[in-house]
Amino acid sequence: MADEPQSTDRAPSRRRFLKSTLAGGIAAATAGGAAAQQAVAPVATSGNPKNLPPRVPSWTQVLGDGVATHPYGKPSKFEKHVVRRDVEWLTASRESSVNFTPLHALDGIITPNGLCFERHHGGAAEINPADHRLIIHGLVDKPLIFTVGDLMRMPRTNRVHFLECAANSGMEWRGSQLNSCQFTHGMIHNVMYTGVPLKVILDEAGVKPAGKWLLAEGADSSAMTRSLPIAKAMADCLVAFKMNGEALRTEQGYPIRLVVPGWEGNLWVKWLRRIEVGDKPWYTHEETSKYTTLMGDGRARQFTFVMDAKSVVTNPSPEAPLLTKGRNVLSGLAWSGRGTIPRVDVTLDGGRNWREARIDGPVLDRSLTRFYVDFDWKGEELMIQSRAHDSTGYVQPTKDELRAVRGVNNIYHNNGIQTWLVRATGETENVEIS
Ligand SMILES: Nc1nc2c(c(=O)[nH]1)N[C@H]1C(S)=C(S)[C@@H](COP(=O)(O)O)O[C@H]1N2
Ligand SMILES: [Mo]
């Protein structure tokens, strides 16, 4: 993949009403091991009668594995289908690519470390922390070099935040394309980071009054660089070394990465090695040719940092069809780069009737928030949508509302309302209503 996923010629002619598209993308889903089928969670409607009540199951009659069979634990073998997957036609090379979080298979708000989507511009650097340094220079009183150990002795804090790639849902700009919740919305993860506030580090170096921007650079082969306003750096950014309690994964920037709450994923520089303070942005490759948004009128938006409020129903979804009539749980995620999610609305009938979803679990600032609707399914066709409200009063727009403002020659910042069509069979498809 040359850069971020595109919604270009692969996009189908816009078959707007009740049309999911089985374009190139779906071939990848199948190549990924019949994703839609495999990804379906096992249910308690089948099973070997020998192991079912009133019989005593076979595993009760033998000793299990001892401790330390797996010094580092892993999921049950029955959860093998719960993995990151990629879309073959978006993957020009493995080193400059992206894979996706299996949102349909997860619950709560935390993304397990091994399932966090990856986006690399030059592959994942493998760095011995003993050989790694963080350099601070430019418009500072005292240029400094920190070892990872130095950072770990500075005051630290814990924060849960989502990271969403600006291109998440980018393949859907012109119409529904990928028949998969993992692929339409899975360029996001939500992690508890442990790290040092960037302000603490910058204060130690002493930012000169003229210092208004900083440049963050990664140590990977892409030397990913992005400009960031000092005000944001001072407000809430972290230099993180732990995710969900353990060291960052190699793929997520081990040994240190930048955390930029609520802002585009590409600013969250991984394998962070250099911070330069300057008086204006650097206009790097990543902020001129990429990560600008081409509008309908031909002008471009630049430095579109904040991720607006968005939501998606993760169950049911193409990989998680409805399997039984009667009692069912609809579940989903909502988030906003501007604050918390106080409310999510859900419709089951394509927008004729909306109800307020039940938000459950922690409601945190610029974090994924989990919602549910407990409902009874009689086998009728459903058209499911969710609509997030954030703490600023912003309401998630429809895709058509977005297109009216931004046109369709776009990739980034697609936070439009997603529609899933549930057929009478329970099979669920990516569609659009117009
Ligand atoms: N050094 C470096 N940092 C990087 C990137 C990269 O390629 N190199 N990719 C960026 C992009 S575009 C995104 S969306 C996020 C992805 O973070 P993840 O791999 O933890 O999901 O990292 C960002 N930071
Ligand atoms: Mo990204």
Side-chain angles (χ1 to χ4, degrees):
M1 182 169 82
D3 52 275
E4 298 283 8
Q6 308 274 340
S7 71
T8 51
D9 34 350
R10 290 290 183 159
S13 58
R14 275 198 281 151
R15 294 176 292 170
R16 299 291 299 281
F17 183 62
L18 295 193
K19 250 354 205 183
S20 72
T21 63
L22 300 172
I26 262 333
T30 324
Q37 282 316 307
Q38 278 202 4
V40 175
V43 275
T45 50
S46 58
N48 185 340
K50 281 203 326 228
N51 291 320
L52 299 178
R55 306 287 297 268
V56 175
S58 56
W59 45 87
T60 310
Q61 303 173 38
V62 294
L63 283 170
D65 279 349
V67 293
T69 306
H70 309 289
Y72 191 95
K74 55 185 181 146
S76 159
K77 67 179 182 185
F78 302 107
E79 298 293 320
K80 271 205 184 84
H81 54 287
V82 182
V83 288
R84 302 185 281 217
R85 291 177 197 276
D86 54 70
V87 177
E88 222 150 80
W89 58 262
L90 286 173
T91 307
S93 79
R94 308 304 304 181
E95 296 76 26
S96 180
S97 191
V98 63
N99 61 21
F100 299 80
T101 306
L103 296 178
H104 58 280
L106 304 179
D107 216 318
I109 63 167
I110 295 294
T111 314
N113 289 343
L115 295 175
C116 288
F117 87 96
E118 308 165 66
R119 170 75 177 102
H120 312 314
H121 291 70
E126 187 130 51
I127 300 177
N128 180 340
D131 296 337
H132 191 72
R133 299 290 183 273
L134 175 62
I135 307 160
I136 316 280
H137 70 125
L139 296 177
V140 293
D141 298 330
K142 210 171 20 152
L144 293 171
I145 295 183
F146 296 90
T147 65
V148 176
D150 292 337
L151 295 171
M152 287 181 171
R153 285 188 297 276
M154 296 173 84
R156 72 182 76 150
T157 184
N158 294 292
R159 296 272 185 274
V160 177
H161 290 300
F162 74 83
L163 180 167
E164 184 180 20
C165 177
N168 199 20
S169 314
M171 294 81 83
E172 306 290 303
W173 259 110
R174 296 177 180 200
S176 58
Q177 175 162 228
L178 294 169
N179 201 35
S180 156
C181 176
Q182 183 162 9
F183 297 151
T184 57
H185 287 78
M187 274 196 262
I188 191 164
H189 51 62
N190 202 57
V191 161
M192 178 177 279
Y193 295 97
T194 308
V196 181
L198 187 48
K199 180 179 191 308
V200 172
I201 295 168
L202 290 171
D203 282 349
E204 201 150 311
V207 174
K208 290 193 194 302
K212 293 289 176 247
W213 286 77
L214 60 77
L215 183 77
E217 182 185 280
D220 54 325
S221 75
S222 80
M224 177 95 186
T225 40
R226 282 280 338 233
S227 310
L228 196 70
I230 283 283
K232 175 67 176 174
M234 291 295 194
D236 54 15
C237 294
L238 303 180
V239 174
F241 43 81
K242 293 245 168 26
M243 60 190 290
N244 295 330
E246 64 178 358
L248 293 180
R249 291 289 167 94
T250 303
E251 309 90 289
Q252 264 70 44
Y254 181 85
I256 52 172
R257 95 173 297 165
L258 203 56
V259 168
V260 189
W263 287 24
E264 293 180 339
N266 60 73
L267 294 151
W268 299 49
V269 172
K270 304 191 276 191
W271 312 287
L272 181 68
R273 90 173 266 279
R274 186 169 75 91
I275 290 176
E276 182 177 349
V277 178
D279 56 0
K280 53 183 173 311
W282 276 257
Y283 300 102
T284 67
H285 160 78
E286 305 296 350
E287 45 211 27
T288 49
S289 78
K290 307 289 173 254
Y291 304 112
T292 53
T293 296
L294 185 59
M295 311 279 281
D297 62 7
R299 290 179 306 151
R301 297 200 309 161
Q302 194 171 34
F303 297 124
T304 52
F305 293 130
V306 183
M307 301 309 293
D308 283 315
K310 184 166 168 181
S311 67
V312 65
V313 171
T314 54
N315 306 78
S317 65
E319 293 97 329
L322 288 182
L323 299 169
T324 46
K325 290 186 189 146
R327 182 153 77 180
N328 271 288
V329 178
L330 177 154
S331 176
L333 291 165
W335 61 95
S336 167
R338 300 184 193 275
T340 56
I341 297 290
R343 173 177 158 191
V344 178
D345 305 321
V346 168
T347 177
L348 302 181
D349 57 11
R352 274 187 287 276
N353 298 287
W354 291 89
R355 65 182 90 178
E356 207 171 317
R358 178 168 67 82
I359 288 176
D360 188 82
V363 176
L364 301 172
D365 185 21
R366 293 163 296 174
S367 159
L368 294 188
T369 300
R370 176 62 63 178
F371 65 86
Y372 298 105
V373 172
D374 306 293
F375 75 110
D376 215 47
W377 184 51
K378 302 197 168 59
E380 73 277 26
E381 213 171 76
L382 306 175
M383 265 203 280
I384 297 179
Q385 300 179 322
S386 62
R387 181 171 68 195
H389 298 243
D390 77 11
S391 48
T392 70
Y394 176 94
V395 182
Q396 185 184 0
T398 66
K399 291 187 181 176
D400 280 340
E401 282 166 350
L402 266 185
R403 291 182 186 118
V405 179
R406 306 241 203 96
V408 292
N409 297 317
N410 204 351
I411 305 162
Y412 304 117
H413 293 272
N414 179 0
N415 66 322
I417 289 174
Q418 172 67 44
T419 311
W420 302 128
L421 166 68
V422 181
R423 297 194 181 278
T425 55
E427 205 184 330
T428 301
E429 279 177 52
N430 178 11
V431 301
E432 270 192 42
I433 305 173
S434 60

